Amino acid sequence: MILHVRTRWPWISLLLGAGVALNPVGLDFLQSAFLSGEQLSRNIAQPIVLSALAILVLIGTIEWLARFVVVKRRARGAS
């Protein structure tokens, strides 16, 4: 199986993040984290949402670095 990496853009991580955030449960959680009228709800949900965002950014960075290494190796001619 030959894997052709054509882009360094971390599209898998972006699709994962969009799938997590744009489902009904994710949208409800985002609403309770940032748009809720209750302070307790915001205080509970905001750290969780921000931690999940940090994890998704970390996953995206790791994916981008892995793609960067693969593109560099293929450009050098290494297999």
Side-chain angles (χ1 to χ4, degrees), residues 2-25:
I2 298 174
L3 178 66
H4 294 287
V5 177
R6 295 184 181 147
T7 180
R8 294 180 193 159
W9 190 255
W11 59 271
I12 296 172
S13 301
L14 288 174
L15 287 176
L16 175 69
V20 167
L22 297 178
N23 66 51
V25 175

Side-chain angles (χ1 to χ4, degrees), residues 10-49:
W11 59 271
I12 296 172
S13 301
L14 288 174
L15 287 176
L16 175 69
V20 167
L22 297 178
N23 66 51
V25 175
L27 288 173
D28 188 42
F29 208 77
L30 286 172
Q31 180 188 11
S32 68
F34 298 109
L35 302 174
S36 177
E38 297 180 14
Q39 185 68 29
L40 179 62
S41 177
R42 285 195 309 261
N43 286 343
I44 292 172
Q46 276 182 352
I48 296 170
V49 168

Side-chain angles (χ1 to χ4, degrees), residues 8 65-79:
R8 294 180 193 159
L65 286 172
R67 289 175 180 268
F68 182 77
V69 168
V70 168
V71 167
K72 284 288 192 180
R73 283 189 180 177
R74 288 184 189 261
R76 276 194 323 218
S79 58

